[in-house]
Amino acid sequence: MTSEVVIDVRQNEVSIALLEDKNLVEYQTEPRSASFAVGNIYIAKVRKLMAGLNASFVDVGYERDAFLHYLDLGNQFSSYEKYLKQVQSDRKKLYPFAKATHQPDLKKDGSVANTLKKDQEVLVQIVKEPISTKGPRLTCELSFAGRYLVLMPFYDKVSVSTKIKSSEERARLKQLIQSIKPKNVGVIVRTVAEGKRVAELDSELKILMKRWEDAIAKVQRTTTRPQLVYEEESRVVALLRDLFNPSYENIYVNDEQVFQEVKEYVTLIAPEKAGIVKLYTGNVPIYDNFNITKQIKSSFGKIVNYRHGAYLIIEHTEAMHVVDVNSGNRTKAEKGQEGNALEVNLGAADELARQLRLRDMGGIIIVDFIDMNLAEDRQMLYERMCKNMQKDRARHNILPLSKFGLMQITRQRVRPAMDVNVDEDCPTCFGSGKIKSSILFTDQLEGKIDQLVNKIGVKRFYLHVHPYVAAYINQGFVSLKRRWQMKYGLGVRVIPSQKMGFLQYEFYDDKKQFIDMKEEVETK
């Protein structure tokens, strides 16, 4: 199986696509200004105590207060609390972390009312992003994740991933980390650390300690509350940190700055794979070039088709995701009704496992498969689903089919499910139902080009239009594009883009920055 990562960096957002054998299996997009990412650490104030919930609401700067349960304070909360007071007692000199003392563990059956008070300052980390009407979910058990290790201040022990099966290797790693870790920190050794040398692990441990020290230094220097003191790595690098696999063949990026970030990170964690990071410089949009745009359009939405006419209907409610499996217009009957149902269900299991990763669906997922009478067929379907979900990084649990033919799946949810609207609003009438005559569309484009060149002074630019429109502009012995170039200069370049509506257009300068040339009034 070949794996490739394609990163599309645009002016306002960045999106990342993971391809396995050219098929889209993971897709994430977010605004470049996005905040409240999982892993961010804040020095924040307790806003309200809720004794009935044994929890508190904390102000981290979001429109809705974040939720912090008593059990999420962690065993070492008292140690954090004392060290925080020591750090804030002197704004000129930072109290050394090595001199911090461990306090007694927090009681598991205690109450938030006896532990916190209103307006108290606490160090918190986001473990779940704002979802729907809920604010972020917080923890006081801080952790700094790297490629091989996870650093946890005040947790003075070493744990090794249970996925490392060799007892000799587990003992080696544990002894090695014990010998190099600083005082007052705990370390979790991740699965990918198996077989790594001490120099690599020591280097990453120092980087993680530096992040913790920088965060504490920011707490000491600043007085504004809430205040972001540690920001998770850029979304691109964070995804690569968790996803990176030696089997990757290529990582394509269409932005010079992000390309350098990714190149530096891959060089740091796997120097021998630095050559797989490539800067995409083609004129065709990067997602169009790798056939990702078409896959996004066909893979999202309420109805998802898969092989032989069968399809899934995916509904999202506040409490859960509901998936219905339909055989569609299948007429195949060589194996009878039972065989047909099994084939449709197995195909649905393959597609559903992909959809869970692709949409990052979390919480409770209920799947209504087509009814099957044979117990061995139901067991085969359950085993197929379990096998397909082995590639999923998110924690999940799958139950066998119930007597009603329903499969229940729970999947870790730390951010809102990916919701890409594949239904296109008319880009030219803005919902009014009236547009200028289509035959005049190219005249309208020429007017925009004239304005861009002669009034604004932009001589070199890209015009993105629907592929059919691009074909029309490029056709003929002396094409429309050629006539524009003769009139306005060779800087006029027409690019077919699959994401454009039929009469939609976008202008970009020679640095690929969007130029807003569209006015709603022009359609009326």
Side-chain angles (χ1 to χ4, degrees):
M1 181 182 68
T2 60
S3 297
E4 294 178 311
V5 175
V6 182
I7 303 168
D8 182 18
V9 182
R10 282 170 284 189
Q11 188 170 354
N12 298 320
E13 67 178 17
V14 59
S15 56
I16 304 167
L18 173 62
L19 305 177
E20 292 180 355
D21 293 331
K22 304 299 181 183
N23 293 318
L24 182 65
V25 293
E26 288 199 30
Y27 175 69
Q28 294 194 22
T29 182
E30 66 179 32
R32 297 188 76 173
S33 59
S35 57
F36 301 104
V38 170
N40 285 0
I41 298 177
Y42 291 80
I43 177 73
K45 279 190 176 183
V46 176
R47 175 92 71 173
K48 189 189 300 182
L49 299 176
M50 304 293 289
L53 297 173
N54 202 18
S56 62
F57 286 97
V58 179
D59 178 18
V60 292
Y62 188 65
E63 57 185 303
R64 290 183 180 273
D65 289 339
F67 183 78
L68 176 64
H69 194 273
Y70 175 81
L71 294 177
D72 291 324
L73 292 175
N75 294 336
Q76 306 301 324
F77 179 75
S78 300
S79 300
Y80 276 109
E81 187 180 24
K82 182 174 181 181
Y83 182 57
L84 199 58
K85 289 177 181 176
Q86 292 169 329
V87 165
Q88 294 179 309
S89 63
D90 188 349
R91 297 287 179 187
K92 294 181 179 179
K93 186 178 179 181
L94 181 65
Y95 189 85
F97 179 61
K99 292 185 178 180
T101 55
H102 278 268
Q103 300 301 306
D105 287 0
L106 205 64
K107 295 179 181 178
K108 292 187 178 179
D109 57 351
S111 73
V112 73
N114 296 330
T115 309
L116 298 177
K117 58 180 182 289
K118 191 174 182 294
D119 292 330
Q120 179 177 340
E121 293 188 0
V122 286
L123 263 177
V124 291
Q125 187 168 32
I126 293 182
V127 291
K128 187 181 287 188
E129 290 183 10
I131 296 174
S132 186
T133 59
K134 301 173 184 175
R137 178 78 183 256
L138 305 176
T139 182
C140 289
E141 296 183 279
L142 307 186
S143 62
F144 296 81
R147 171 73 175 155
Y148 306 121
L149 308 171
V150 178
L151 179 80
M152 300 185 72
F154 288 112
Y155 284 78
D156 203 10
K157 62 181 182 179
V158 177
S159 303
V160 181
S161 168
T162 54
K163 292 183 180 179
I164 298 177
K165 301 300 181 185
S166 168
S167 55
E168 292 83 1
E169 178 63 8
R170 291 174 63 85
R172 182 188 78 89
L173 288 169
K174 195 164 187 175
Q175 185 177 8
L176 190 156
I177 298 298
Q178 286 281 16
S179 66
I180 62 174
K181 82 173 184 67
K183 184 184 175 185
N184 284 338
V185 298
V187 176
I188 298 173
V189 183
R190 305 182 75 173
T191 310
V192 290
E194 188 172 6
K196 297 301 176 184
R197 294 176 291 112
V198 63
E200 295 174 273
L201 302 180
D202 185 48
S203 174
E204 182 167 271
L205 190 58
K206 287 176 180 174
I207 292 171
L208 298 179
M209 272 302 296
K210 180 73 165 51
R211 290 177 185 171
W212 162 240
E213 289 165 357
D214 289 347
I216 284 298
K218 197 166 183 179
V219 170
Q220 181 207 26
R221 293 194 306 268
T222 61
T223 55
T224 307
R225 302 291 184 263
Q227 175 71 47
L228 176 66
V229 296
Y230 168 71
E231 188 168 12
E232 183 61 282
E233 297 161 313
S234 72
R235 189 78 208 108
V236 173
V237 173
L239 183 75
L240 282 177
R241 182 193 67 205
D242 296 331
L243 272 185
F244 188 81
N245 191 306
S247 67
Y248 281 175
E249 292 194 346
N250 297 293
I251 300 174
Y252 295 100
V253 192
N254 66 344
D255 180 86
E256 180 77 38
Q257 181 182 344
V258 176
F259 165 75
Q260 292 297 341
E261 285 180 20
V262 174
K263 183 98 172 175
E264 288 173 12
Y265 182 71
V266 173
T267 302
L268 178 68
I269 63 171
E272 72 283 359
K273 302 293 280 186
I276 69 174
V277 184
K278 298 171 184 176
L279 180 63
Y280 177 78
T281 56
N283 288 332
V284 176
I286 188 169
Y287 275 6
D288 290 8
N289 186 69
F290 293 99
N291 196 35
I292 295 171
T293 305
K294 189 174 181 180
Q295 292 192 59
I296 291 173
K297 296 282 187 183
S298 62
S299 299
F300 287 89
K302 179 178 175 180
I303 297 175
V304 178
N305 294 293
Y306 60 102
R307 59 176 180 260
H308 306 309
Y311 60 94
L312 304 177
I313 298 178
I314 302 175
E315 295 273 10
H316 179 206
T317 71
E318 183 69 22
M320 66 181 70
H321 295 271
V322 182
V323 182
D324 186 31
V325 179
N326 289 273
S327 58
N329 57 2
R330 289 173 59 95
T331 56
K332 238 176 119 178
E334 296 92 354
K335 301 177 184 177
Q337 183 177 345
E338 182 74 13
N340 199 41
L342 176 62
E343 189 175 344
V344 171
N345 285 339
L346 292 177
D350 296 340
E351 180 60 27
L352 180 60
R354 171 176 171 260
Q355 286 290 328
L356 294 181
R357 292 175 66 189
L358 189 57
R359 302 184 187 218
D360 202 11
M361 293 161 60
I364 301 171
I365 300 112
I366 304 294
V367 191
D368 182 12
F369 286 102
I370 296 173
D371 291 340
M372 296 183 295
N373 296 321
L374 299 179
E376 55 266 34
D377 288 350
R378 294 195 292 271
Q379 180 63 22
M380 187 188 300
L381 175 60
Y382 171 68
E383 292 173 357
R384 178 76 157 259
M385 195 71 211
C386 292
K387 181 181 178 183
N388 290 338
M389 292 291 285
Q390 286 176 358
K391 299 175 186 176
D392 198 333
R393 293 177 297 113
R395 291 197 301 272
H396 58 270
N397 189 27
I398 306 170
L399 297 183
L401 290 169
S402 70
K403 64 180 180 179
F404 297 119
L406 302 176
M407 179 179 285
Q408 300 172 62
I409 302 172
T410 59
R411 187 175 182 273
Q412 181 186 24
R413 179 170 71 168
V414 295
R415 58 180 59 87
M418 179 65 60
D419 185 19
V420 177
N421 186 10
V422 295
D423 295 328
E424 296 177 354
D425 292 328
C426 177
T428 51
C429 76
F430 298 95
S432 68
K434 294 181 180 180
I435 63 172
K436 290 182 178 179
S437 176
S438 300
I439 198 72
L440 300 177
F441 180 59
T442 53
D443 294 341
Q444 181 183 333
L445 288 179
E446 185 170 354
K448 295 294 181 183
I449 293 171
D450 180 67
Q451 182 182 352
L452 200 60
V453 174
N454 296 322
K455 292 185 179 178
I456 301 178
V458 178
K459 304 295 184 183
R460 298 174 63 82
F461 57 86
Y462 298 91
L463 170 60
H464 287 219
V465 291
H466 189 278
Y468 289 172
V469 177
Y472 173 75
I473 293 173
N474 289 322
Q475 74 168 353
F477 175 65
V478 182
S479 66
L480 192 56
K481 173 187 170 184
R482 186 62 183 149
R483 292 204 298 270
W484 287 347
Q485 288 178 333
M486 291 166 63
K487 187 174 180 180
Y488 301 105
L490 295 176
V492 179
R493 283 164 286 185
V494 179
I495 306 297
S497 175
Q498 294 176 11
K499 75 171 186 174
M500 293 291 108
F502 190 62
L503 296 182
Q504 189 180 8
Y505 60 89
E506 288 181 354
F507 286 92
Y508 293 84
D509 63 20
D510 56 354
K511 295 181 180 177
K512 306 291 179 70
Q513 298 297 307
F514 175 69
I515 307 171
D516 189 1
M517 294 294 292
K518 184 169 287 190
E519 301 168 10
E520 186 169 344
V521 69
E522 73 189 13
T523 67
K524 296 184 178 177

